[in-house]
Amino acid sequence: MKKILLSSIIFLALLGCKSEIDLPVKYSQVFGKPQPSTGTLSIEVPDCKEEATEMESSSVLEAKQKVNYIFSGAKYLGCKEEGFESFVSFEVPFIIGGVGMRDCRKNEICVASSQNNQNMNVFVGEEIRKKITLIARGFTFFDPDNLRITLTVDNDSGQSLSVRIPSAFLRHEGEEIPLHNTRGGNFPEDTLKFTLSNVASAQLIRGRGVATAMEFPDREYVAPPYK
């Protein structure tokens, strides 16, 4: 009975484990031609090492195996401890630029333009979404509902940009500032970090695989092709 209770407590504790994928992008790249880039995936694990040894923990080995299954070309960066938390990190490939609905393939994550040329959208291909859902069933310390998707956006346009944020958190100087349907804001000539809201992240993983991160109403409008 004690073993069952202990296992239940450990399982419940692991449900709260955090994971985040950080995708660094430049404004000019998003509205340019598709090109490969890399982001960083971090997943909280119970331990980096097996107790009293220098051997990688079973959770690190599990993460390495399953991340490589989801992301072809993922590169293991290591495991580090931050206070009472341990995180395993990977370099993962993604695509910047192009028109997402046209150029983003089923096995890719993309940060790209919308068809009307005014939005910065995030896309998660159908194949990756299916793998994440499948893996999550047996992944003891990963819950896709806890996955945070962050964009580190560099405004390299040379000017302040008019911007609308549908739903995200601005991460600035250790704070998270909630932004929802903000209109008439300005994106300075700077690098800012935005984390998509829980609803937007869930839409990417469990929904249709696309979410709008930022809208730029002053960009030239292009009518989407009629379907």
Side-chain angles (χ1 to χ4, degrees), residues 30 65 87 104 124 170 181 186 198 211-212 222-223:
V30 173
Q65 178 188 40
F87 290 89
C104 193
V124 177
L170 171 63
N181 199 24
N186 288 316
N198 294 344
T212 297
V222 177

Side-chain angles (χ1 to χ4, degrees), residues 39-123:
T40 304
L41 171 65
S42 299
I43 302 174
E44 185 180 4
V45 294
D47 298 289
C48 288
K49 305 285 186 182
E50 290 294 344
E51 188 174 359
T53 76
E54 289 302 311
M55 297 174 58
E56 288 183 328
S57 68
S58 57
S59 55
V60 171
L61 294 174
E62 181 184 4
K64 290 168 69 172
Q65 178 188 40
K66 293 185 174 179
V67 167
N68 281 316
Y69 169 71
I70 296 170
F71 299 101
S72 176
K75 178 182 177 182
Y76 177 62
L77 298 177
C79 185
K80 64 179 181 179
E81 298 179 354
E82 298 178 359
F84 293 103
E85 299 174 325
S86 300
F87 290 89
V88 61
S89 297
F90 300 85
E91 182 181 88
V92 293
F94 75 103
I95 301 296
I96 306 175
V99 177
M101 295 299 289
R102 181 190 67 201
D103 298 321
C104 193
R105 295 181 292 187
K106 292 183 178 181
N107 65 340
E108 293 175 334
I109 290 179
C110 305
V111 182
S113 168
S114 59
Q115 291 185 6
N116 68 7
N117 190 45
Q118 292 189 318
N119 299 348
M120 178 190 297
N121 290 346
V122 183
F123 299 83

